[in-house]
Amino acid sequence: MARLNLLEETRYEKLPVTVYSDQQAASVAVAKRIASLIRKRNAAGQQAVLGLATGVTPIKVYTELVRLHKEEGLSFKNVITFNLDEYYPMKPDAVQSYVTFMNENLFDHVDIDKAHVHIPDGTLAPDDVAAFCLAYEKQIEELGGLDLQILGIGRTGHIGFNEPGSAPNSGTRLVTLDDLTRRDASRDFGGKQNVPAKAITMGIGTIFKAREIILMAWSAKKAPIIRKAVEGEMSGEVPATFLQLSDNVEFVLDTDAASELTRFDTPWMVKDCIWDEPLKKKAVIWLSGAVNKPILKLTEEDYNSNGMAQLAVEQGPVYQINIDIFNQVQHTITGWPGGKPGADDSQRPERAEPAKKRAIVFSPHPDDDVISMGGTFIRLVDQGHDVHVAYQTSGNTAVWDDDVLRFMEFAIDFKESVGEDTAKMKGIYEDMRKFMQVKQPNQIDSLEIRDVKGFIRKTEAISGARYAGLPDGNIHFQALPFYETGKTQKNSVGEEDIRLTMELLQQVKPHQVFTAGDFADPHGTHIVCFNIVIEALRRLRQTEAWVKDCWVWMYRGAWQEFPTSEIEMAVPLSPAEVLRKRNAIFKHQSQKDRPVFPGDDAREFWVRAEDRNRETAQNYDRLGMAEYAAMEAFVRYHF
């Protein structure tokens, strides 16, 4: 019976999928499978032939393999590897090369014979590429093929660099990269303009010949393409769908990457459910959108025709279910994000007391506060709360070099205008210009350049916070050490990051903490900053009584929004408040027009924010709620 239930749950899935609680658990499981294969081949006196991938996805797999080598004696002496791809052109010692990646993450830490390592050559002359690709294929064939190929997946659905349009029988070859793939790689190269337009990649046909294929994917960013690859029709537009033809493939996912698969996203479509309140709310809101009706107009036929007959039978009549969910959604709406003084707060998202709260907004980058919750920020100040803002990082990697020169020229002119000597400053300015003329993509800036970039973002943040109404004493710059590497790749979180956050929290003793819950940001900074805040509060809960009365609210905005069913506080904004929020965002001039790291969204940050806030209000309107110009949404974090 359990097997039948599983088949029913996965009937939309066209290939095997294994889901783990998080990417760490999944990576360890994949590493153990690789280690088992290596040991099995070693025991038989045979070589293990592995196809390896690069990018963020396999890093934890390689970390676990290194641990198994150092702590459990896993030997790589009889391992031969073939990497999927390499940018073209690309020097092997470049920071962005996959040779560098593989050495840093695996090969330099294990006992593999470097003669057994094969990575496409990004230094070849154009006329030599075709012959190299044929030889690459021949080497794999002469070894009896790949025992195991591990894959990631790009948001275009590419595997390796087999972009949309790739043929299922394609071999190793030179390809042109999709624009989205280049945008996704832009941070590693210091801008999309520096990302090579081509790459050498194994073909889909080459991958298919492996005796075992494991495709891994982590995070909600990959969820839409995973659903297409697993449940969609085979198409050259999504090359990963060709893996549906293989009998030897398995997708290994974390829960976020699997979240849009039918069995997780709309489980009532494939099985009987335990209808707790969150699932019921999600299902009714989904049904409202599916049939394009307000909640209160949903009928029993709508329920029965859309996989929700069980809910109607168990908890009906459906009109009562509709009223219940309508009221739940309506009660998330409040114009009082700090609580309405003297009001009955039993049906409100925030407490009425204390009437005047201390609140602190943690902003990972110096503009996330106003982009993501600028309207709520301003309203909290207007309603008399003691609001603080903490800019967790300097954001100094996201400023254009020419802005540095412009500000230095201003500083020199000002010093001269008041009669001060500018010789030293002019010398620093000339050094900056010389450095910038020969600067390589993603090369670490000099300390002076990093400082100026940090000062630019600091003054913009101060201007935005002042516009929101904050006194200077309530504006805090943490410059958390994990970020201050000068590189796009940041350090791991350390004790100092947590200590600095604990000290600020102890100073303010907030009743409300607002922190970024937008983990889709391409930098990865938001989730790091979120975890620092949560760990600081978790430790303080052990000794500080005030923390038990501190509520944590997560916000989103620049990169994504919470699903409507998850929103616990929705703060409506009037047209005038939308304009005030826009003006606060405009204070961040270095991020306007064309930010250094825009991600894959071409819109300016203020446009993204307004569009998302408008969409949130429209979603509420479609459910049958009052119509507002815009809404900012929050979800409460519970310890």
Side-chain angles (χ1 to χ4, degrees):
M1 180 61 70
R3 179 61 181 163
L4 289 174
N5 288 342
L6 179 61
L7 289 173
E8 182 69 10
E9 285 183 42
T10 61
R11 73 173 187 265
Y12 287 94
E13 298 170 20
K14 300 176 181 179
L15 44 74
V17 175
T18 304
V19 182
Y20 290 86
S21 58
D22 54 54
Q23 64 171 285
Q24 177 64 30
S27 297
V28 168
V30 172
K32 285 182 177 178
R33 289 172 64 173
I34 295 171
S36 176
L37 170 64
I38 293 171
R39 290 186 174 117
K40 182 179 178 181
R41 289 286 189 270
N42 283 344
Q46 299 172 339
Q47 294 172 319
V49 185
L50 304 178
L52 300 181
T54 52
V56 174
T57 302
I59 286 178
K60 290 184 184 294
V61 174
Y62 297 150
T63 300
E64 177 63 12
L65 287 173
V66 171
R67 188 196 69 78
L68 289 169
H69 167 70
K70 292 182 176 181
E71 298 180 12
E72 300 185 21
L74 177 65
S75 176
F76 288 76
K77 288 182 179 178
N78 287 330
V79 174
I80 299 176
T81 66
F82 289 85
N83 263 74
L84 277 167
D85 43 33
E86 176 61 283
Y87 291 106
Y88 182 85
M90 178 59 64
K91 295 179 180 179
D93 59 353
V95 174
Q96 299 89 357
S97 84
Y98 289 160
V99 174
T100 298
F101 176 94
M102 292 305 304
N103 286 336
E104 290 182 348
N105 287 284
L106 181 61
F107 296 149
D108 285 349
H109 309 288
V110 297
D111 61 344
I112 194 167
D113 183 343
K114 289 298 180 73
H116 290 173
V117 171
H118 304 84
I119 300 175
D121 187 351
T123 67
L124 294 167
D127 291 344
D128 296 334
V129 173
F132 172 86
C133 293
L134 288 173
Y136 206 71
E137 293 272 334
K138 187 175 179 181
Q139 284 178 300
I140 295 172
E141 290 174 7
E142 289 176 347
L143 289 164
L146 300 170
D147 291 311
L148 171 64
Q149 175 67 63
I150 63 171
L151 302 170
I153 184 171
R155 289 190 298 146
T156 63
H158 70 240
I159 48 178
F161 275 133
N162 292 283
E163 298 284 15
S166 297
N169 62 347
S170 55
T172 302
R173 67 204 188 281
L174 185 68
V175 297
T176 299
L177 299 180
D178 186 270
D179 187 68
L180 176 56
T181 299
R182 295 182 68 215
R183 291 204 304 269
D184 281 349
S186 64
R187 187 167 180 81
D188 294 331
F189 285 84
K192 192 188 83 171
Q193 69 276 9
N194 299 317
V195 181
K198 295 182 181 294
I200 298 172
T201 183
M202 278 190 203
I204 298 174
T206 314
I207 293 167
F208 251 74
K209 295 174 186 176
R211 281 179 279 280
E212 187 177 1
I213 302 168
I214 298 175
L215 185 147
M216 304 177 294
W218 328 131
S219 88
K221 287 187 288 188
K222 296 294 178 70
I225 197 64
I226 285 294
R227 178 163 185 165
K228 288 181 180 179
V230 173
E231 298 185 355
E233 297 299 320
M234 274 190 295
S235 167
E237 292 304 303
V238 183
T241 57
F242 290 129
L243 294 174
Q244 295 172 12
L245 294 169
S246 174
D247 295 327
N248 306 311
V249 68
E250 179 182 354
F251 277 37
V252 175
L253 313 173
D254 68 359
T255 53
D256 288 336
S259 61
E260 293 193 19
L261 295 177
T262 300
R263 60 170 151 148
F264 299 108
D265 187 37
T266 53
W268 51 87
M269 300 291 288
V270 294
K271 64 176 182 179
D272 286 344
C273 298
I274 299 174
W275 289 101
D276 58 16
E277 287 301 314
L279 185 61
K280 183 167 69 172
K281 183 178 179 183
K282 178 180 181 179
V284 172
I285 290 174
W286 171 86
L287 180 61
S288 173
V291 300
N292 195 27
K293 291 181 181 179
I295 290 174
L296 293 179
K297 290 187 177 180
L298 296 174
T299 66
E300 189 166 357
E301 182 181 353
D302 294 327
Y303 278 67
N304 293 340
S305 301
N306 289 277
M308 293 168 56
Q310 180 201 4
L311 175 60
V313 170
E314 291 183 0
Q315 300 193 28
V318 298
Y319 189 64
Q320 190 57 50
I321 298 174
N322 295 344
I323 291 173
D324 178 38
I325 301 303
F326 178 89
N327 287 337
Q328 288 185 40
V329 175
Q330 188 176 51
H331 292 156
T332 65
I333 303 171
T334 180
W336 299 83
K340 186 173 183 179
D344 176 7
D345 58 13
S346 59
Q347 302 293 337
R348 293 177 175 272
E350 249 296 354
R351 304 149 291 176
E353 301 299 332
K356 302 300 179 185
K357 293 182 175 66
R358 293 183 300 276
I360 183 165
V361 178
F362 281 99
S363 182
H365 301 98
D367 55 353
D368 287 315
D369 55 335
V370 290
I371 290 173
S372 301
M373 55 168 290
T376 301
F377 189 176
I378 292 170
R379 185 170 291 189
L380 285 166
V381 176
D382 288 349
Q383 292 176 349
H385 299 287
D386 180 18
V387 182
H388 295 247
V389 64
Y391 299 104
Q392 293 173 277
T393 72
S394 66
N396 62 5
T397 60
V399 177
W400 296 107
D401 289 345
D402 55 4
D403 281 339
V404 173
L405 299 181
R406 181 164 58 90
F407 275 80
M408 284 294 293
E409 290 156 1
F410 171 86
I412 291 168
D413 287 345
F414 180 77
K415 288 194 74 171
E416 288 180 341
S417 74
V418 295
E420 290 192 15
D421 180 60
T422 60
K424 183 176 181 180
M425 185 171 285
K426 285 180 176 178
I428 295 172
Y429 171 78
E430 288 302 324
D431 288 343
M432 288 178 172
R433 293 196 68 166
K434 290 176 183 177
F435 175 86
M436 291 174 184
Q437 287 170 358
V438 298
K439 179 180 173 182
Q440 297 299 305
N442 264 15
Q443 182 177 351
I444 298 175
D445 286 323
S446 67
L447 178 61
E448 292 82 4
I449 292 174
R450 297 204 304 270
D451 282 345
V452 173
K453 288 182 176 182
F455 298 153
I456 290 171
R457 299 215 66 184
K458 181 177 181 179
T459 56
E460 291 172 347
I462 290 171
S463 180
R466 284 176 178 165
Y467 180 83
L470 258 61
D472 290 358
N474 286 20
I475 305 171
H476 310 274
F477 292 90
Q478 293 189 284
L480 294 177
F482 86 88
Y483 186 91
E484 300 303 315
T485 63
K487 302 180 291 184
T488 54
Q489 184 67 38
K490 305 307 180 185
N491 291 332
S492 299
V493 171
E495 283 298 311
E496 185 69 2
D497 301 300
I498 298 169
R499 184 189 66 79
L500 290 169
T501 304
M502 290 175 67
E503 286 184 355
L504 180 58
L505 286 165
Q506 286 174 309
Q507 174 188 332
V508 177
K509 293 183 172 57
H511 302 96
Q512 289 180 309
V513 165
F514 293 89
T515 185
D518 190 349
F519 305 146
D521 79 294
H523 325 91
T525 303
H526 285 199
I527 191 167
V528 174
C529 288
F530 171 82
N531 287 335
I532 290 169
V533 172
I534 297 304
E535 179 60 24
L537 285 167
R538 186 173 284 117
R539 293 187 188 185
L540 288 170
R541 282 172 69 90
Q542 308 304 314
T543 57
E544 305 273 334
W546 61 267
V547 183
K548 293 180 174 58
D549 295 322
C550 176
W551 287 17
V552 178
W553 290 102
M554 298 184 293
Y555 61 78
R556 290 182 179 175
W559 306 103
Q560 62 179 170
E561 188 53 277
F562 294 109
T564 306
S565 62
E566 295 179 12
I567 295 171
E568 295 179 72
M569 180 163 68
V571 180
L573 306 180
S574 68
E577 288 171 319
V578 171
L579 289 176
R580 289 181 69 187
K581 174 175 177 172
R582 183 191 302 177
N583 289 336
I585 297 173
F586 282 178
K587 301 299 181 182
H588 295 267
Q589 295 178 8
S590 70
Q591 304 304 296
K592 200 178 178 305
D593 299 328
R594 189 169 66 96
V596 177
F597 300 116
D600 65 336
D601 192 332
R603 295 173 297 175
E604 291 186 46
F605 284 127
W606 70 271
V607 178
R608 300 185 205 184
E610 288 190 12
D611 286 350
R612 282 182 171 81
N613 295 161
R614 186 184 308 111
E615 288 164 8
T616 300
Q618 288 170 347
N619 289 340
Y620 269 68
D621 178 37
R622 283 191 284 266
L623 294 175
M625 308 297 145
E627 184 176 1
Y628 294 100
M631 279 180 164
E632 292 177 338
F634 302 85
V635 170
R636 188 178 166 196
Y637 179 84
H638 296 272
F639 287 92

